[in-house]
Amino acid sequence: MSMIYKTPGDLMGQDGTDLGVTDWVAIEQARVDLFADATDDHQWIHVDPDRARDGPFGGTIAHGYLTLALVNKFLPQLICVDQMSMGVNYGCEKVRFPSPVKVGARIRGKGEIVKVEEVKGGVQSTVRVTIEIEGEDRPACVVDTISRYYP
């Protein structure tokens, strides 16, 4: 369930706010294969289950950038800003991939507002999204993503 802010201005002062967690998403081979096709990254550790079975991860793994791309799915489950004319993805401050996501695993996003500041015409928030892997101690991805909201 999203943390809902009525206006972009309501984000001001929310630094440090825990946004909770999203629903779990299963990472299936079909999704990995589609991502490989979209990005032309067909490395065997992602798309060849037979070869990957004997590889370093014991099976195929999701692309790191696929894991990162799913932040776009998770953000609306973590935070919602109403009464705005436009919201834009401004970029990322830092991205790390501490642990691979094995095909068949489930992942979810955990969010925290790191920083909120005014920018010309709107409000900018930096939200740290930690992609957790079910049953694993280390996350798959940690990213500080920057969004701008315009009233």
Side-chain angles (χ1 to χ4, degrees):
M1 183 161 174
S2 296
M3 179 74 77
I4 300 172
Y5 295 93
K6 189 172 180 179
T7 69
D10 291 343
L11 284 167
M12 297 304 297
Q14 294 297 299
D15 305 48
T17 299
D18 180 352
L19 299 172
V21 296
T22 69
D23 296 333
W24 290 103
V25 173
I27 301 301
E28 302 298 339
Q29 189 64 54
R31 183 188 295 258
V32 173
D33 292 343
L34 286 170
F35 191 83
D37 289 342
T39 60
D40 288 331
D41 181 353
H42 294 94
Q43 187 176 173
W44 62 271
I45 62 172
H46 304 302
V47 299
D48 188 341
D50 293 331
R51 183 174 177 193
R53 195 172 296 113
D54 296 325
F57 306 109
T60 50
I61 61 170
H63 303 72
Y65 285 120
L66 168 56
T67 306
L68 176 61
L70 288 170
V71 168
N72 201 46
K73 175 181 181 60
F74 295 143
L75 272 173
Q77 292 182 42
L78 295 169
I79 187 169
C80 175
V81 179
D82 291 333
Q83 297 181 21
M84 65 172 179
S85 63
M86 176 177 61
V88 295
N89 173 4
Y90 191 70
C92 299
E93 285 291 333
K94 183 177 180 181
V95 179
R96 296 291 181 266
F97 302 105
S99 188
V101 177
K102 295 178 182 177
V103 168
R106 294 192 330 156
I107 62 173
R108 69 179 178 186
K110 178 181 176 187
E112 174 193 357
I113 298 176
V114 174
K115 180 171 61 172
V116 179
E117 57 194 323
E118 288 186 46
V119 294
K120 185 177 179 179
V123 174
Q124 177 173 290
S125 70
T126 301
V127 173
R128 178 165 297 136
V129 179
T130 301
I131 310 264
E132 302 176 331
I133 307 168
E134 187 175 38
E136 299 286 332
D137 293 332
R138 294 178 48 167
C141 179
V142 181
V143 57
D144 289 353
T145 183
I146 305 166
S147 302
R148 288 190 171 177
Y149 303 97
Y150 298 94

